Amino acid sequence: MENQQILMLIIYTTFFCFIPTSSTITPNQSLKYHETLVSSAGTFEAGFFDFENSRRQYFGIWYKDISPRIIVWVANRNVPAQNSTALLKLTHQGDIVILDGSGGRVWSSNSSKTAVKPVLQLLDSGNLVVKDGESSDNFLWESFDYPGDTFLAGMKLKSDFVTGPYQYLTSWRDNDDPAEGEFSYMIDTKGFPQQVTTHGTTILYSTGPWNGYLFSGVSWERMHRFLNFSFEFTNKGISYGYETLNSSVLTRTMLKLNLRGATERFLWSNQRQSWDIVNNHPTDQCEYFATCGVNSICNVNNLPICECLQGFTPKFQAKWDSHDWSGGCVRKTKLSCDNGDWFKEYTGIKLPETSSSWFDRSLSLQECETLCLRNCSCTAYANSDIRDGGSGCLLWFHDIVDMRTHNDQGQEIHTRLPFSERGNFISISILCLFVRFS
C-alpha cells in the first residue's frame, strides 16, 4: 500500500510539474501557467508570468537563465488575464489566442493569413513566430512585427508608406504594468528620416538623422565595433535594425526604452554575468530637444551651454542671460537672397532636426550649395550620407532647431549668412592672425 502511494505521488508530481522544453507547439497543444517554450539554443523562454501580489497574467518572452528576469516582449500587455488559469493555444487557422479561466478570449494575434499546418515556434532571436509547416521559413505572423519596450537584434522598426503600418517602441506604464506608457521610440519619417523619442506627441530628444553609418548624434564608430546596423530607405518605406557582428560570442543584446523615456543599450557579459550599458540617451542637457531654442548650438563643454549661431543674436537677451534659452536666436541682418549670401561651415556637429527638410541622395555637396543659394528660404545644407567622403544633399529651411556639438566625431553643416557677416568673419580672422604673429 505504501509503495502504491509513493508511485501515485511520483506520477502526480511528474504530471503537474512537467514543463515543456520544446520550442514549438501545434493546434493540438496548449500552454498554461508554469509551462514554457524554450528556443532551441536555450537563449529565450516564453510563457505566462505575473507580478508579486497580483492576479494579472501576461504571456511574455524573456532571456532564459538570467536573473533577475528581463521581459523583452508581452503579448497581452494591455489586456491581462485576471486569474492563474490562463491558457495559450494555437488555432487550426494559425491564430495565437490567450484564454482566461472561463474560456473567454483575452488576446489574439489576428493573423491576416491562414495556415494549412500551423506551428508556433520561439526562435533563438527572441522572435515568436507562426509558420505554415515545421520546416517552413514562411512566417504568417511574428512578434517582431509588434514591438514592446525592447529592441532586439534581428528586429526591424519599419514604416510602410503604402499600406501604413508603423512599428516603434513604447514604454511600460509602470514596473509592474507592461501596458503602453507615455514614451515612444521611433523613426520620424517627416522630411529626412531621423530617430526621435517622444512624450505623447512632443519630441523629448532626438539622436538625429541617418548619416549612412548610424543616426547623427550617436557614436557610430564605437557602436560598429560590435554591432552591424542596417537602414533601408525607399519610396515604399523605411526599415531600421541591427545584428551582432559575432553572434557566437555576443548572443544577448538589447535596447530598452524605460519608464522615464530614456533608452539604454545593453550587452550581456558572460564573464561578469551581468548586463553592461554601452550606450544611453539622453546623456546630458544638450540632448533634450531644442534646449537652446532655434538658430543656436548647444555645447555641454561651454558655460553657458547655449550660443547663437554666427549672424544671430538672442531674441530675448535678458532671459538668455538668465539661462532661459527657449526663445532662441534671430538674425542680426536679413539674408540678401542674391549672390552676396555665403555659408559658414561648422564641423563636429550632430545635425539639426529634419522634419521640414528636403533631400536628394544623388546630388553632390557643391550641387547642394547651389540649390540652397537659389532658394531664399534655405538656411543650411549638408551631406545626407557621410560615407566615402560624403554624398547626397540635405537642405534646411527657415529656423534651425536642435543643433549641438557631437560628443564623439560628428559631421559638417553649412549655415547661410548675409554678405555683411562675411566682413565680420574676415575681420575676426585677420585679428586672430595678427594676435598670433605679433
Side-chain angles (χ1 to χ4, degrees):
M1 182 65 178
E2 185 177 349
N3 290 338
Q4 186 178 4
Q5 287 177 330
I6 294 174
L7 179 60
M8 290 299 294
L9 179 61
I10 293 173
I11 294 173
Y12 178 88
T13 304
T14 303
F15 178 77
F16 284 97
C17 294
F18 171 67
I19 299 176
T21 57
S22 170
S23 64
T24 64
I25 64 171
T26 65
N28 297 320
Q29 300 169 304
S30 61
L31 284 177
K32 56 180 179 292
Y33 195 67
H34 292 312
E35 297 179 340
T36 62
L37 289 176
V38 177
S39 64
S40 58
T43 305
F44 286 96
E45 188 171 22
F48 285 99
F49 70 94
D50 56 15
F51 298 96
E52 188 176 358
N53 301 321
S54 171
R55 290 173 54 84
R56 296 174 297 169
Q57 295 290 308
Y58 299 93
F59 187 87
I61 301 171
W62 55 86
Y63 283 102
K64 183 174 172 55
D65 299 329
I66 289 182
S67 182
R69 183 166 65 182
I70 296 179
I71 307 296
V72 299
W73 184 79
V74 184
N76 56 321
R77 62 183 300 190
N78 293 312
V79 191
Q82 296 297 332
N83 52 62
S84 61
T85 55
L87 196 71
L88 180 136
K89 298 179 67 176
L90 180 66
T91 70
H92 288 278
Q93 291 74 38
D95 278 333
I96 311 168
V97 295
I98 296 175
L99 307 175
D100 61 20
S102 62
R105 183 174 293 195
V106 174
W107 177 88
S108 172
S109 60
N110 291 325
S111 176
S112 60
K113 302 175 182 178
T114 302
V116 177
K117 295 181 179 180
V119 175
L120 177 65
Q121 182 174 9
L122 179 62
L123 305 181
D124 280 318
S125 61
N127 194 8
L128 186 68
V129 303
V130 177
K131 306 190 298 184
D132 198 354
E134 187 75 39
S135 60
S136 173
D137 291 328
N138 179 28
F139 297 165
L140 305 178
W141 181 93
E142 53 185 309
S143 61
F144 273 11
D145 283 343
Y146 303 90
D149 71 331
T150 307
F151 193 12
L152 294 173
M155 183 184 289
K156 302 284 187 181
L157 298 185
K158 294 182 283 190
S159 180
D160 192 314
F161 300 153
V162 180
T163 60
Y166 187 40
Q167 297 165 9
Y168 53 93
L169 304 184
T170 51
S171 62
W172 282 23
R173 189 171 295 171
D174 208 341
N175 285 321
D176 59 358
D177 186 355
E180 293 180 7
E182 299 178 344
F183 299 97
S184 300
Y185 172 97
M186 63 181 67
I187 309 301
D188 183 3
T189 59
K190 298 186 295 291
F192 192 72
Q194 61 182 344
Q195 189 280 313
V196 298
T197 298
T198 61
H199 183 200
T201 58
T202 303
I203 296 178
L204 181 66
Y205 66 90
S206 168
T207 53
W210 185 260
N211 64 15
Y213 291 112
L214 202 48
F215 296 105
S216 175
V218 178
S219 176
W220 58 85
E221 287 191 337
R222 182 186 180 196
M223 290 294 101
H224 275 281
R225 294 173 189 171
F226 45 85
L227 298 175
N228 182 40
F229 294 87
S230 64
F231 191 82
E232 297 178 13
F233 180 22
T234 69
N235 57 358
K236 294 182 179 180
I238 292 172
S239 175
Y240 163 62
Y242 71 96
E243 299 280 358
T244 55
L245 287 178
N246 190 342
S247 59
S248 63
V249 176
L250 184 62
T251 57
R252 295 175 175 89
T253 175
M254 61 182 174
L255 181 143
K256 277 275 189 183
L257 175 64
N258 68 26
L259 301 176
R260 302 179 304 279
T263 57
E264 299 169 313
R265 189 178 294 279
F266 294 92
L267 294 178
W268 175 255
S269 171
N270 285 324
Q271 180 181 1
R272 289 183 294 278
Q273 289 292 292
S274 64
W275 292 101
D276 293 336
I277 299 179
V278 295
N279 185 260
N280 64 292
H281 296 278
T283 56
D284 54 56
Q285 192 175 353
C286 285
E287 286 212 19
Y288 287 96
F289 187 73
T291 292
C292 299
V294 300
N295 305 314
S296 60
I297 185 168
C298 192
N299 186 344
V300 291
N301 296 316
N302 287 347
L303 191 65
I305 62 172
C306 292
E307 180 183 2
C308 290
L309 296 175
Q310 183 177 331
F312 292 81
T313 190
K315 185 174 183 179
F316 305 110
Q317 188 67 55
K319 290 184 176 181
W320 189 273
D321 293 340
S322 64
H323 291 192
D324 178 357
W325 305 294
S326 58
C329 305
V330 293
R331 284 194 183 276
K332 298 175 184 177
T333 306
K334 289 184 178 180
L335 295 172
S336 58
C337 294
D338 57 28
N339 293 331
D341 289 343
W342 64 290
F343 292 93
K344 164 78 163 62
E345 179 183 276
Y346 288 88
T347 59
I349 296 299
K350 188 212 86 168
L351 295 183
E353 75 97 15
T354 53
S355 62
S356 59
S357 65
W358 179 92
F359 61 92
D360 187 317
R361 289 180 288 174
S362 66
L363 298 178
S364 68
L365 196 62
Q366 182 60 51
E367 292 170 322
C368 197
E369 178 181 358
T370 302
L371 269 181
C372 193
L373 280 174
R374 289 176 182 173
N375 189 325
C376 196
S377 298
C378 182
T379 49
Y381 72 92
N383 275 138
S384 57
D385 191 327
I386 63 173
R387 294 173 299 177
D388 303 322
S391 63
C393 175
L394 185 55
L395 300 182
W396 284 264
F397 299 89
H398 307 294
D399 290 328
I400 295 172
V401 186
D402 200 43
M403 179 168 152
R404 69 161 297 175
T405 56
H406 201 284
N407 286 330
D408 189 279
Q409 180 177 349
Q411 56 197 95
E412 298 176 0
I413 185 173
H414 305 259
T415 62
R416 187 170 184 167
L417 292 167
F419 177 78
S420 59
E421 286 294 324
R422 182 190 291 270
N424 292 339
F425 180 71
I426 293 173
S427 299
I428 293 172
S429 300
I430 293 174
L431 177 61
C432 290
L433 286 172
F434 176 77
V435 170
R436 181 181 176 184
F437 291 104
S438 61

